Amino acid sequence: MRLLKFLFWSVLALVCAPAMVLSGVALYLSPSLPDVETLRDVELQTPLRIYSTDNRLIAEFGEMRRFPISYEQIPPAFVHALLAAEDDNFLNHHGVDPMGLLRAAAELVQTGHIQTGGSTITMQVAKNYFLSSKRVFSRKLNEILLALQIERNLSKQEIFELYVNKIYLGNRAYGIEAAAQVYYGKSINELPLADLAMIAGLPKAPSRYNPIANPERTKVRRDWILDRMLTLGYIDEASYREAVATPITARNHGANPEMEAPYIAEMARLEMVERYGNEAYTQGFNVYTTVDSRLQEMANSALRDGLQEYDRRHGYRGPESRNPEITLEQGLAMLEGYRSMGGLEPALVSAVNSDNVEIRLRREQTGIIAWENMNWARPYLSANSMGPRPGKPADVLKPGDIIRVSRLEGDQFRLAQIPQAQSALVVLGPQDGAIKALIGGFSFLQSNYNRVTQARRQPGSSFKPFLYCAALDNGYNPASLVNDAPLIFVDDYLDSIWRPQNSGGDFLGPIRLREALYRSRNLVSIRLMQDLGVDKALTYIERFGFSREELPRNLSASLGTSELTPLQIAQGYTAFANGGYAVKPYLVERIEDRYGNLIDYARPAVTPELTEEQTARLQSYAERQETETAEEPVAAERIVDARTIYQLNSMLQDVVRRGTAVRARALQRNDLAGKTGTTNDQKDAWFSGYNPDLVATAWVGFDQPATLGRREYGGTAALPIWMQFMGAALEGVPDRTIPMPSGLVTARIDPTTGRSAPPGSSDAFLEIFKQEEAPPPYSELEMGGYSNGDGSVSPLELF
């Protein structure tokens, strides 16, 4: 009897001991376990995404590419595929699968190492969200306990959703929606069964079963999953056969941007990092910029076409690599090391014929360069000289050359080269300063240096309108005569002499202010600043957004010797386009969180023309944030008299009609105005111009200042870029005629004297004057001066 009792208690102890040990371990570990309720509010790391104002993706930043989706958005076929691959008993167990754990224990006994781990989907959620990946017994016990808690607190759908949004699936893709985008460029609910099964096979080993690196191994894994789905009754025989017959078509779709604006993307990224630090990359912010995708595409084309046209004018610098002894296979292998830049593709010359050149491109493409598309290639000697014209293709290219080409139509290409000169183009909305388009160089891959915001260069004569505006606001009018005659300045301290010159080296004598501007006479600008006073003139010019420290405190400032960025010049010109108001450039229109909730939005100062539209925008933001009262729009400050702006606009329109930008008449618009700019030795070429809807500034030059060539000016190098952009942007848009403000009058003027013209004068023309500054009628003019109405006479002054 005692023996029986002993045996009973011994057996009971042996049976209860494991349970007691496990209970003790559970009691010991439980206090240190995290609260699984936090899974309901988990914030998955989601990248920063930048969009255009018309909702096109520009770029994505962040180590983890993730698009969290809800369980309802997951295709049922994928649910079945993942269960077949990872945990076919998921819907029945309570977080732990005893049979799976027994299999894992058997493997441990046989091999001495932990192999599969026997983890369920719930256990993997516990590990992915709370634990490390280190394979130790304590982690496994924590994993089991957490899985049991998770099953008690969350539904199966919630657990499944947490799992598929967290898992790493290769190529920076975290979660199944990101994997679908990366490998197929589509949403998960757009994929067929075969592709869903492929993605379901990735969690086991994303590198081993990567469909891009290991398509054969991936297909084996995918077909095994399909077979499991058939066995478990998830699919029928016909679906199975169709799916296994489908080839692996995955390829890397990257971040999949919908438009090309890398300089914009970088500006937005920097602004977000400045606001939110490193959290900008992980919190799933969606940033909507002011950039219009249509205008951005036009800006990209205009800048690249203009730079390439400039480059062709100065000759061909030869192939990027010349390899006369190379085989075709070796050449194609070498070609893989080159990347497309600014729309120019690398190509290998495979044959040179009498009237064309045959080329091979990457991805087994072939093409032809006809003679007429390469006969421009005179050898480059310097910025001012070229070698003889080539007579045949063999004078330019040899088999084995690696060159750059631009695509025309079909298999036809043009010989090209990556320009050594650089350019910048920025487009602003004059009513609020919104950046509508921006490109900071020929190619972001070539250089991420943003010349719109970072390149400080002398603007030359494109700076003169700011000085002329100061003059018009301080007693001058468009008909005022200023003497275009030589000036000499002697610096006794530096023992130096400054003899400023006009561009052509000539002098025209007394000249009206209007004509001086459209002819860009340097000596007139110097005399204006001399008469106004340097300090007074610079103080006035500051109102256009320039810092006093950036403006040299001497007469050379009148010629545009300040070092300024294209964005600063464009900002200044917005006041000319909007009627005299100060607006500031801005890029970020609004910021939303990963769920589309509005976080912040821009509150730019706006002109009266945009006030109604901005009011509606602020009202819509207030409604989204459930705010009772919408903000009032910020009114832009008027910085110049509307009458002065009207006079100056008329003068700047003459720059297009008859001055240094006369080729812009080809656009056949009457609402365009602007100013060219060229610096000493043609190191910088500028054109800043506008109509009431858009302001655009184009710059061309070398990053390390050097001459563009003696025939290159603002009107030849920069203006064509501006013209191509504005012509496309304003196509079909009617001319905008700005009404004359009250307080202005017109009078017939003698072009020689700038005074009222006598009746019947054949060469007289109408000029615009402020009412209080209008010249007296011709009948009141006496003795070469203006009658003051009291018998005295004021002589005509020349400055």
Side-chain angles (χ1 to χ4, degrees):
M1 192 66 178
R2 289 182 179 178
L3 179 61
L4 289 174
K5 287 183 178 181
F6 174 77
L7 290 173
F8 172 77
W9 288 110
S10 297
V11 171
L12 184 62
L14 288 172
V15 171
C16 293
M20 293 176 66
V21 170
L22 289 175
S23 299
V25 170
L27 288 171
Y28 174 75
L29 293 176
S30 291
S32 63
L33 293 177
D35 183 3
V36 298
E37 277 293 327
T38 60
L39 289 173
R40 295 187 185 276
D41 304 312
V42 70
E43 291 286 346
L44 295 169
Q45 286 193 22
T46 307
L48 168 68
R49 295 187 179 94
I50 313 296
Y51 294 90
S52 65
T53 191
D54 48 343
N55 301 331
R56 297 183 67 184
L57 180 65
I58 297 175
E60 182 180 279
F61 297 98
E63 293 181 8
M64 297 182 178
R65 189 161 191 236
R66 180 180 275 124
F67 298 85
I69 58 176
S70 66
Y71 182 82
E72 290 72 24
Q73 295 173 292
I74 304 171
F78 180 80
V79 175
H80 293 146
L82 192 65
L83 294 181
E86 294 290 316
D87 186 1
D88 57 43
N89 197 35
F90 173 69
L91 298 177
N92 300 315
H93 63 63
H94 298 288
V96 178
D97 185 354
M99 295 305 297
L101 290 176
L102 287 175
R103 284 194 301 270
E107 290 175 354
L108 175 61
V109 171
Q110 291 174 0
T111 65
H113 301 284
I114 297 174
Q115 300 292 321
T116 60
S119 293
T120 63
I121 285 177
T122 312
M123 292 169 67
Q124 291 183 62
V125 168
K127 179 185 70 175
N128 290 340
Y129 283 89
F130 295 122
L131 305 173
S132 70
S133 298
K134 191 174 181 181
R135 290 192 167 188
V136 294
F137 287 108
S138 61
R139 195 219 72 192
K140 179 60 69 175
L141 289 171
N142 282 330
E143 193 177 299
I144 292 170
L145 294 173
L146 282 169
L148 295 172
Q149 288 188 34
I150 290 171
E151 289 277 349
R152 285 197 298 269
N153 287 271
L154 304 180
S155 69
K156 290 289 186 179
Q157 289 82 2
E158 289 174 316
I159 296 169
F160 194 88
E161 179 182 312
L162 287 166
Y163 179 66
V164 298
N165 282 323
K166 180 75 172 180
I167 49 177
Y168 176 62
L169 300 172
N171 287 83
R172 287 183 56 236
Y174 289 79
I176 59 173
E177 177 65 13
Q181 297 283 355
V182 166
Y183 295 119
Y184 298 106
K186 299 178 180 179
S187 176
I188 189 74
N189 54 32
E190 298 178 87
L191 299 183
L193 175 61
D195 296 340
L196 293 174
M198 188 284 293
I199 293 175
L202 292 174
K204 183 177 180 63
S207 297
R208 179 178 175 83
Y209 298 116
N210 187 303
I212 298 171
N214 302 300
E216 297 83 7
R217 189 180 293 164
T218 300
K219 189 175 186 304
V220 172
R221 171 72 172 164
R222 182 203 69 180
D223 292 351
W224 177 84
I225 293 172
L226 290 167
D227 183 68
R228 289 272 297 152
M229 294 178 74
L230 178 64
T231 302
L232 294 167
Y234 293 148
I235 57 175
D236 57 27
E237 184 73 26
S239 298
Y240 168 76
R241 293 189 180 281
E242 180 183 356
V244 296
T246 304
I248 298 293
T249 59
R251 62 183 180 86
N252 193 341
H253 289 260
N256 218 23
E258 299 172 294
M259 59 179 286
E260 185 183 4
Y263 292 98
I264 289 289
E266 180 64 7
M267 289 172 65
R269 182 191 71 83
L270 290 173
E271 183 169 339
M272 289 298 291
V273 171
E274 185 177 345
R275 290 194 191 196
Y276 301 103
N278 288 332
E279 287 190 354
Y281 301 120
T282 61
Q283 296 305 301
F285 293 117
N286 294 312
V287 178
Y288 293 86
T289 67
T290 57
V291 172
D292 183 298
S293 64
R294 183 183 69 93
L295 296 181
Q296 182 63 43
E297 290 170 4
M298 294 173 182
N300 292 345
S301 297
L303 182 141
R304 289 167 177 169
D305 291 349
L307 266 184
Q308 290 180 67
E309 181 62 34
Y310 162 81
D311 211 48
R312 284 193 290 271
R313 288 200 297 269
H314 293 269
Y316 186 53
R317 294 183 296 277
E320 294 194 12
S321 176
R322 176 150 279 175
N323 313 282
E325 305 299 327
I326 203 170
T327 66
L328 180 61
E329 291 72 20
Q330 290 172 328
L332 291 174
M334 183 180 295
L335 193 63
E336 292 299 318
Y338 290 80
R339 305 171 69 180
S340 295
M341 287 189 184
L344 301 184
E345 301 179 49
L348 172 71
V349 175
S350 56
V352 178
N353 306 315
S354 60
D355 61 348
N356 64 37
V357 167
E358 298 175 29
I359 59 173
R360 297 288 295 273
L361 296 91
R362 293 173 300 176
R363 296 184 290 276
E364 300 182 359
Q365 297 181 71
T366 61
I368 298 292
I369 306 176
W371 172 238
E372 60 266 25
N373 293 322
M374 61 182 296
N375 60 7
W376 62 269
R378 297 174 62 182
Y380 171 86
L381 300 178
S382 72
N384 294 315
S385 61
M386 293 182 287
R389 292 187 178 278
K392 57 185 183 299
D395 294 339
V396 181
L397 299 175
K398 308 292 182 187
D401 287 353
I402 292 182
I403 60 174
R404 293 282 170 173
V405 296
S406 58
R407 189 179 294 272
L408 298 174
E409 294 182 357
D411 65 347
Q412 296 297 307
F413 291 82
R414 182 198 298 274
L415 177 65
Q417 61 187 352
I418 296 175
Q420 289 185 342
Q422 279 293 349
S423 183
L425 178 63
V426 57
V427 184
L428 302 180
Q431 277 71 45
D432 63 349
I435 297 176
K436 299 291 188 181
L438 180 151
I439 178 169
F442 183 76
S443 168
F444 192 79
L445 288 175
Q446 179 190 23
S447 167
N448 57 20
Y449 180 57
N450 189 341
R451 294 155 189 88
V452 169
T453 60
Q454 295 175 293
R456 292 188 171 274
R457 305 297 283 261
Q458 293 184 1
S461 294
S462 65
F463 187 78
K464 289 177 181 175
F466 304 115
L467 175 62
Y468 275 68
C469 193
L472 291 173
D473 247 357
N474 284 277
Y476 285 82
N477 62 66
S480 296
L481 291 182
V482 183
N483 199 8
D484 180 23
L487 284 170
I488 299 176
F489 298 93
V490 179
D491 191 324
D492 295 329
Y493 295 98
L494 298 178
D495 193 26
S496 62
I497 298 176
W498 181 38
R499 291 187 176 89
Q501 300 287 317
N502 288 314
S503 178
D506 60 340
F507 302 96
L508 301 179
I511 186 173
R512 288 172 293 110
L513 205 61
R514 175 182 292 272
E515 186 176 0
L517 182 57
Y518 73 69
R519 291 185 182 276
S520 199
R521 309 304 290 179
N522 288 343
L523 274 298
V524 171
S525 296
I526 294 171
R527 278 191 164 86
L528 284 178
M529 181 166 276
Q530 192 177 36
D531 182 59
L532 293 173
V534 172
D535 287 331
K536 182 177 181 180
L538 296 182
T539 298
Y540 183 96
I541 290 171
E542 281 184 82
R543 67 185 63 186
F544 293 98
F546 304 113
S547 169
R548 187 57 170 269
E549 290 71 28
E550 297 172 323
L551 307 175
R553 192 172 174 268
N554 55 57
L555 291 174
S556 72
S558 64
L559 306 182
T561 58
S562 311
E563 293 189 342
L564 303 167
T565 67
L567 184 60
Q568 288 176 292
I569 295 296
Q571 178 183 349
Y573 272 68
T574 58
F576 304 153
N578 65 28
Y581 295 92
V583 296
K584 293 183 179 180
Y586 73 103
L587 177 62
V588 175
E589 171 60 38
R590 70 182 187 277
I591 303 169
E592 297 179 356
D593 66 15
R594 70 184 74 192
Y595 306 109
N597 299 314
L598 187 64
I599 296 175
D600 198 6
Y601 53 89
R603 300 164 179 81
V606 298
T607 65
E609 184 176 346
L610 199 67
T611 298
E612 185 175 337
E613 180 181 330
Q614 180 69 358
T615 299
R617 183 180 301 158
L618 292 173
Q619 180 63 43
S620 70
Y621 290 154
E623 291 171 358
R624 288 184 61 182
Q625 293 184 318
E626 299 182 355
T627 304
E628 293 183 5
T629 306
E631 297 178 55
E632 291 293 326
V634 178
E637 177 190 1
R638 173 171 287 286
I639 57 173
V640 184
D641 186 335
R643 300 178 302 167
T644 299
I645 289 295
Y646 191 88
Q647 288 178 309
L648 185 65
N649 280 343
S650 173
M651 295 163 69
L652 288 173
Q653 285 174 346
D654 270 1
V655 175
V656 173
R657 292 174 182 143
R658 66 192 73 182
T660 54
V662 68
R663 66 170 59 188
R665 290 173 60 184
L667 297 180
Q668 297 183 341
R669 296 188 66 93
N670 295 315
D671 60 348
L672 300 179
K675 186 69 185 74
T676 55
T678 310
T679 58
N680 289 345
D681 299 322
Q682 292 78 45
K683 291 180 180 178
D684 300 277
W686 295 77
F687 187 77
S688 288
Y690 58 92
N691 85 332
D693 297 313
L694 295 172
V695 173
T697 292
W699 167 85
V700 177
F702 291 96
D703 284 339
Q704 298 299 321
T707 182
L708 290 165
R710 57 175 167 260
R711 298 182 186 89
E712 300 292 350
Y713 300 93
T716 53
L719 178 61
I721 294 173
W722 184 91
M723 286 176 58
Q724 181 175 331
F725 171 79
M726 290 294 274
L730 298 176
E731 184 177 3
V733 178
D735 284 15
R736 288 275 308 276
T737 302
I738 304 301
M740 181 184 289
S742 60
L744 288 176
V745 295
T746 57
R748 286 171 52 82
I749 295 299
D750 184 322
T752 303
T753 65
R755 296 181 291 176
S756 297
S761 177
S762 61
D763 57 353
F765 64 92
L766 289 175
E767 187 54 274
I768 305 165
F769 296 91
K770 294 173 183 172
Q771 199 163 25
E772 67 273 16
E773 297 174 358
Y778 181 78
S779 60
E780 295 183 19
L781 294 176
E782 299 175 6
M783 299 173 57
Y786 289 143
S787 170
N788 293 325
D790 59 359
S792 63
V793 176
S794 299
L796 175 67
E797 295 183 4
L798 291 180
F799 298 99

